[in-house]
Each structure stands twice: as structure tokens, then as C-alpha cells.
Amino acid sequence: RLLEHKQIDKMISSYVGENKIFEQQLISGELDVELTPQGTLAEKLRAGGAGIPAFYTKTGVGTRIAEGKETRDFDGETYLMERAIKGDFGIIKAQKADTFGNLVFEKTARNFNPLCAMAAATTVVEVEELVEVGEIDPDEVHLSGVYIDYIYLGSHFEKRIEKRTFKEANHG
């Protein structure tokens, strides 16, 4: 919806995906897109959440990703400096939250959602289930509620996954 209403000027992304609006705005030049390797994007968010302003990585050295970025040699190897990401808002999705905001993520949602929450000044989480404090076993909490500012109990979730297709057997 933010893209639909042209409320995003710049996107830092590792994957353009299947979003037609994103694709159209990228091609037309309405949206500034910085493609970033997925591991680098995760580290940029992690560093932002940890208060680390920048870090060095070998990923992207010698490619278009390195254009205009500082490099430095360590032990005879060239590294690219990447700046951390800090956001005004983090909009994330979790499977379950308690009323304090302690979160449980499902499967790979645990990869980027906690990093986005920690790197944001204000975090909004949409959850499928909301329970009272104490109903989530502390050992099952994936992200502490200290990072969460607002909880939204959603409904009608679209769960797109890869679908297996099989070629029909030729019995001729």
C-alpha cells in the first residue's frame, strides 16, 4: 500500500520479487532502488540495531555494488565499507505476540523481522495470535518486546509459498 500511494522514495532491497508496482516504479525511475546482497542487507540491519555505524565485507568488491563506496585492504584482501541501516519505522510480521510484545516467528520470518525491529526507532508488528504475558514460554521468545512499540492483530493472511507441480505422465 505504501508503494501504491507512492509513499516510498528509496528502497534498499536484496530482491525485487513479484511486486508489479515496485517493478513499474523502478523502471519508470519513480523509485530509487539500492540492490544489496542479502547477507550484506542483514548485516546492515544488525549493525544498525547494535549501534555500529559501518562495517567491512568482501561481498560486492569489484562489482557495480562497490561503485562510489570506500574500500580498504586488510591482510592483503580488499574489503568494501557498508553503512548500517537505521530506520524511523519497522513494519514486521510475527506468528504470535504477548501483550508486552514478546514475539514468536514462524520459520524463515525469523531471518529479517527481528533485525528490522532492532534497527528501527519505532516498530509495528502484525501478528496472527495475541496472548497474555506469561503464555509464551520464555525459551520460545524469538524477540523481546522491548523492541516493539505497537501490536496489530491481523486476519485473513495470504500465505504464498512455492507450489509443487508435476508433469502429467504420458501413457501413450
Side-chain angles (χ1 to χ4, degrees):
R1 294 193 183 199
L2 294 173
L3 282 169
E4 286 173 8
H5 294 100
K6 299 187 179 183
Q7 293 176 285
I8 299 174
D9 293 325
K10 181 176 181 176
M11 179 84 75
I12 301 172
S13 179
S14 66
Y15 176 67
V16 174
E18 303 163 10
N19 187 315
K20 294 295 181 196
I21 297 169
F22 183 101
E23 180 182 329
Q24 290 168 352
Q25 290 180 13
L26 169 64
I27 291 169
S28 72
E30 296 175 84
L31 182 63
D32 181 16
V33 177
E34 182 181 321
L35 289 174
T36 303
Q38 190 168 21
T40 302
L41 180 58
E43 185 61 13
K44 286 169 91 95
L45 289 164
R46 191 201 67 76
I52 300 167
F55 61 93
Y56 288 96
T57 179
K58 287 184 62 74
T59 305
V61 171
T63 71
R64 291 181 62 193
I65 290 169
E67 290 177 7
K69 294 182 181 174
E70 178 184 320
T71 60
R72 185 166 173 194
D73 287 348
F74 294 97
D75 302 320
E77 299 282 339
T78 302
Y79 290 79
L80 181 65
M81 186 180 81
E82 292 284 359
R83 302 275 320 202
I85 295 175
K86 291 281 298 172
D88 294 329
F89 293 94
I91 303 170
I92 67 170
K93 166 77 170 54
Q95 176 66 30
K96 183 191 295 188
D98 65 21
T99 54
F100 180 71
N102 294 309
L103 303 180
V104 177
F105 296 99
E106 189 171 288
K107 300 181 172 75
T108 59
R110 194 172 174 183
N111 292 348
F112 275 89
N113 282 294
L115 299 175
C116 289
M118 291 185 283
T122 301
T123 300
V124 179
V125 60
E126 179 181 31
V127 298
E128 295 184 29
E129 182 181 358
L130 184 61
V131 299
E132 293 300 318
V133 171
E135 291 186 44
I136 300 174
D137 181 327
D139 287 333
E140 300 299 317
V141 171
H142 297 146
L143 182 66
S144 169
V146 300
Y147 296 103
I148 307 303
D149 298 289
Y150 300 97
I151 303 168
Y152 170 73
L153 179 59
S155 61
H156 308 294
F157 297 98
E158 178 183 352
K159 301 209 178 191
R160 292 185 295 147
I161 60 169
E162 292 181 17
K163 296 178 182 165
R164 288 186 183 183
T165 57
F166 297 93
K167 182 177 178 182
E168 285 189 33
N170 187 353
H171 298 294

